Amino acid sequence: MKMLPLWRGGYLKHRFKPESTPWPLAMMWDEFICEMLRHRGILREEGEMSTINSRFHAWRERQIRRCNDELGVTAASVTYPIIAFELSDGCSVGCWFCGLSADRFKGYYEYSEEHAALWRGVVGIASEMFGSAARTGFCYWATEPMDNPHYDRFLFDYYQITGRIATNNDGGPDQGSRAHHARARTVQALSHRDKSFLRAEHNTSRPDSHGVFA
């Protein structure tokens, strides 16, 4: 009963209006969704790179127009990040809705001295090629980020080079080990260090559509 405007037909008209105050939990949920939409808008806009890499920018714009045509309103939920990295081989979670048919987990890329140097070099080149748009990247693809016990160290390098914590999505908190949860908390704490992003999210973007980003 505390969230009637979210699901009861006769109460939907009260959403996003002052008269929704009798249902504070519903208001909190709507505020959360609006925050996610602002975040999503920032990610999409930051992929703009027309001045530093015009050819890649033109290709990305074509993909956005193609998805708008083929996916309709659901295309608004796509942020079109420009780059992704795999720091593990396969995934230990196996979400039923995975759109990438991820293989089962086989191992991870260790943060050794040699691997760290290579990693920083790759991220550095990406930053040179794409400028601030490299901040839209994420450090998992068909993988569970927390499967890599050194994930936070890779993220910190990414932050130092690009100036932004890469987008994260943990797919299996309910079935993860204690170590998994500990790594998730470390990554969350690291994300709070990115004060500039929090300010930008608060000040520069507006929700313009419905849906959530992954």
Side-chain angles (χ1 to χ4, degrees):
M1 301 298 290
K2 296 181 180 180
M3 304 181 74
L4 285 174
L6 298 183
W7 61 274
R8 192 71 175 265
Y11 292 81
L12 293 176
K13 61 185 178 182
H14 299 305
R15 291 188 70 182
F16 307 105
K17 295 179 181 178
E19 55 262 35
S20 65
T21 51
W23 303 279
L25 291 181
M27 292 184 66
M28 290 175 61
W29 175 257
D30 285 336
E31 290 172 0
F32 170 75
I33 292 300
C34 287
E35 182 181 351
M36 293 298 98
L37 292 174
R38 287 192 293 269
H39 186 145
R40 186 183 71 186
I42 290 173
L43 290 176
R44 178 180 287 205
E45 292 171 9
E46 196 157 38
E48 202 277 343
M49 67 191 94
S50 57
T51 58
I52 192 169
N53 196 324
S54 59
R55 294 181 63 186
F56 195 96
H57 175 77
W59 177 83
R60 180 176 182 265
E61 290 295 304
R62 287 198 301 271
Q63 302 314 307
I64 293 175
R65 291 193 295 270
R66 177 180 63 82
C67 288
N68 288 340
D69 181 59
E70 296 181 359
L71 302 178
V73 295
T74 59
S77 64
V78 183
T79 61
Y80 304 95
I82 67 159
I83 195 168
F85 305 93
E86 290 186 31
L87 297 175
S88 298
D89 185 3
C91 176
S92 68
V93 179
C95 296
W96 64 266
F97 53 82
C98 178
L100 300 171
S101 297
D103 292 332
R104 297 305 297 170
F105 178 68
K106 300 181 182 67
Y108 61 88
Y109 192 69
E110 295 185 10
Y111 191 87
S112 63
E113 183 176 350
E114 179 183 0
H115 290 175
L118 177 61
W119 168 247
R120 287 192 291 266
V122 168
V123 176
I125 292 298
S127 187
E128 292 175 10
M129 290 181 63
F130 303 118
S132 61
R135 298 174 177 180
T136 68
F138 53 100
C139 302
Y140 60 93
W141 183 259
T143 61
E144 161 56 45
M146 301 307 149
D147 281 342
N148 191 317
H150 306 149
Y151 183 66
D152 57 327
R153 301 175 72 178
F154 287 105
L155 276 190
F156 188 66
D157 284 348
Y158 195 92
Y159 170 67
Q160 288 188 313
I161 294 170
T162 69
R164 180 68 47 79
I165 296 293
T167 300
N168 294 286
N169 188 356
D170 180 12
D174 293 333
Q175 48 191 310
S177 64
R178 290 184 178 180
H180 180 121
H181 293 309
R183 287 194 290 275
R185 288 193 294 271
T186 300
V187 170
Q188 185 179 34
L190 183 60
S191 297
H192 285 304
R193 301 179 63 163
D194 197 347
K195 303 296 185 183
S196 63
F197 179 67
L198 296 177
R199 286 196 297 269
E201 179 180 359
H202 179 71
N203 294 327
T204 66
S205 191
R206 297 290 185 271
D208 58 0
S209 59
H210 294 282
V212 296
F213 68 95

